[in-house]
Amino acid sequence: MSDFSFSRRRDGTYRLESYEGSDNTVVIPSSFDNKPVTSIADNAFSWSFVRKVVIPDSVTQIGEAAFSWCESLVSVDIPETVKLIGEWAFIGCSSLKSIHLPEGLKKINYSTFQSCSSLISIELPDSVKAIGPEAFSECRSLVKVKLSESLASIGDNAFASCDALTEINFPPLLSELGSDVFSGCTALSAFIIPDDHPVFCSKDGVLFNKKEKKLVYYPFSKKEKRYDIPDGVQFIAEEAFANRNHLEEIIIPESVTQIEPKAFYGCRGLKSIVIPSTVKRVGSSAFHSCSSLREVTLSESLIAIEYSVFYACSSLEFIQLPDNIRIISPCAFSGCSSLNSIIFPDGLIDIGESAFEGCRSLESITLPDNFETLGAHVFGSCTMLDSVILSGKIRVIPPQAFARCESLNHVKLPEGLEEIKSEAFDSCENLLTLQIPESVNDIEPDAFINCRHLMLFVYPDSYAENYARDRDILYSEI
């Protein structure tokens, strides 16, 4: 008993606070000081080397992270009296192959069995109504799962990266499925769903939420090069097609109104995509790392290109932005190394940080007259960029906006420009001349660092003339 530490609860029962012994097999005492032990505290066995634990039937609660990262734990006997198992209770128990869950348990909490990499099968008692986020994520040996008949919801990433999982049943009461529930489940090919299920259905192995008219999951096991999304689908779910590298063509019907974040992330075989005009939003990173994507037709209904939508689409050479686009978000086209031409619509007012960073084939930029704001690093490392014409409403050239644009030769700065920030033109070695508008009233000391051949053209008695003189930069009065 000296290996255990207990604390008295308000109801007079005891909580097991910690175990300090060295035995491989641990039998938790059912009582202490003639009072029942009813709970196991948070982190009670965390990081211990126990191999087997027997929990007495006096216990009703297992605390958060109670057995977390017990990497030697092979077996744990949980009695039917346990009604609550806390978050992270068995996270990282990498030797645990099976576990019996008690009837009466209402929920599998957040990350309860995450990274139990030896767990082969799990059967949920019928009392379980909810599975929390990441509950079984990274259980890479998990082959068989039997969900409870009363299950109503499954949280985000609940079974993410369960590489060995091949099929899963959908109980009739299941109505809520979080984001990326089966993300990275590369062997999952069958959804066992009753024909009369009110919410979900499977067609040719593809999972749909028929109530929300959403395509949820396209199996990795399908090897067709083309897939036609059925007419009537309105939403393409987050990561629905992520990393399905064999797909070369996906046909999106005009019924679709929204493509959720990462929907086509990492589809390295995808060569072209037409987004119909019915689509009002394409979520962040939707086509991130689609490295074979050459042709894109965007919906005319879009008003923004969201964060990292086309990041690292290294084969994309040209894209026509719709007339209604007002914002290009950070990293939207970053790493599109083959992009050599882009025409900005007249209504564009903002380009975010690093939006075109690393677009090494881009040769010229002309921003529309009403454009207002550039983000930091926006055109950084565009090594073939030769000409830049900026609009009349820009007030600030942000940090490293054109850094490492080693071919940059012609830049037109707008009247009304006020500030040129740190390293804005760093290492623009081919930039020989630059006219600074009279309106400029602040230039960071290193704005033109490593521009070894630059001569500034400045107005007499202007801030820019004093700046050039003070820093021994070649200049000439206009």
Side-chain angles (χ1 to χ4, degrees), residues 218-455:
Y218 185 90
F220 283 86
S221 59
K222 292 178 71 66
K223 299 303 179 184
E224 295 87 351
K225 292 184 177 181
R226 170 176 166 152
Y227 179 67
D228 289 48
I229 295 173
D231 191 31
V233 170
Q234 293 183 3
F235 301 91
I236 302 173
E238 185 169 344
E239 292 197 21
F241 293 90
N243 297 306
R244 277 45 162 201
N245 295 330
H246 52 279
L247 280 168
E248 296 182 3
E249 186 178 10
I250 298 171
I251 306 301
I252 301 175
E254 292 187 353
S255 57
V256 172
T257 61
Q258 183 169 319
I259 298 172
E260 294 185 357
K262 296 185 178 181
F264 301 96
Y265 185 104
C267 289
R268 290 180 170 82
L270 190 64
K271 295 180 179 180
S272 66
I273 195 79
V274 176
I275 301 173
S277 59
T278 51
V279 174
K280 294 179 173 59
R281 183 188 176 196
V282 178
S284 61
S285 299
F287 296 93
H288 189 298
S289 299
C290 292
S291 55
S292 297
L293 189 62
R294 292 180 177 274
E295 299 178 16
V296 175
T297 302
L298 293 174
S299 166
E300 291 294 329
S301 300
L302 295 177
I303 61 173
I305 306 297
E306 296 198 15
Y307 176 79
S308 289
V309 167
F310 296 102
Y311 186 101
C313 290
S314 54
S315 297
L316 188 64
E317 295 182 1
F318 172 77
I319 190 161
Q320 177 70 51
L321 296 178
D323 291 340
N324 292 325
I325 293 293
R326 292 177 60 78
I327 297 171
I328 298 176
S329 299
C331 301
F333 296 93
S334 182
C336 293
S337 55
S338 297
L339 186 67
N340 57 49
S341 178
I342 187 164
I343 299 172
F344 296 113
D346 290 340
L348 184 69
I349 61 171
D350 184 286
I351 301 178
E353 182 174 339
S354 299
F356 293 91
E357 187 170 17
C359 292
R360 298 194 301 266
S361 300
L362 197 60
E363 296 180 0
S364 66
I365 293 295
T366 300
L367 296 177
D369 291 340
N370 292 317
F371 186 85
E372 296 176 4
T373 308
L374 288 172
H377 311 269
V378 60
F379 295 105
S381 298
C382 291
T383 53
M384 294 297 291
L385 188 62
D386 173 74
S387 174
V388 172
I389 300 175
L390 302 180
S391 77
K393 291 189 176 182
I394 293 176
R395 296 294 176 261
V396 179
I397 306 296
Q400 298 192 28
F402 301 97
R404 301 171 301 282
C405 292
E406 58 191 41
S407 299
L408 189 60
N409 179 258
H410 173 69
V411 177
K412 182 181 178 182
L413 300 179
E415 293 297 333
L417 182 70
E418 296 174 358
E419 301 176 50
I420 302 176
K421 293 296 189 180
S422 177
E423 301 180 2
F425 294 91
D426 177 18
S427 299
C428 294
E429 296 182 356
N430 203 43
L431 187 61
L432 304 181
T433 63
L434 182 65
Q435 181 172 320
I436 308 295
E438 193 172 12
S439 55
V440 170
N441 56 42
D442 185 43
I443 304 174
E444 292 286 341
D446 58 352
F448 302 103
I449 191 170
N450 298 317
C451 295
R452 294 179 294 178
H453 310 293
L454 178 64
M455 173 181 282

Side-chain angles (χ1 to χ4, degrees), residues 24-49:
N24 287 332
T25 299
V26 176
V27 179
I28 297 173
S30 60
S31 64
F32 179 75
D33 199 20
N34 295 319
K35 297 291 185 180
V37 175
T38 57
S39 65
I40 300 172
D42 298 351
N43 300 292
F45 288 85
S46 184
W47 294 97
S48 72
F49 294 97

Side-chain angles (χ1 to χ4, degrees), residues 174-186:
L174 182 62
S175 59
E176 295 181 23
L177 204 63
S179 299
D180 308 330
V181 169
F182 304 108
S183 175
C185 293
T186 54

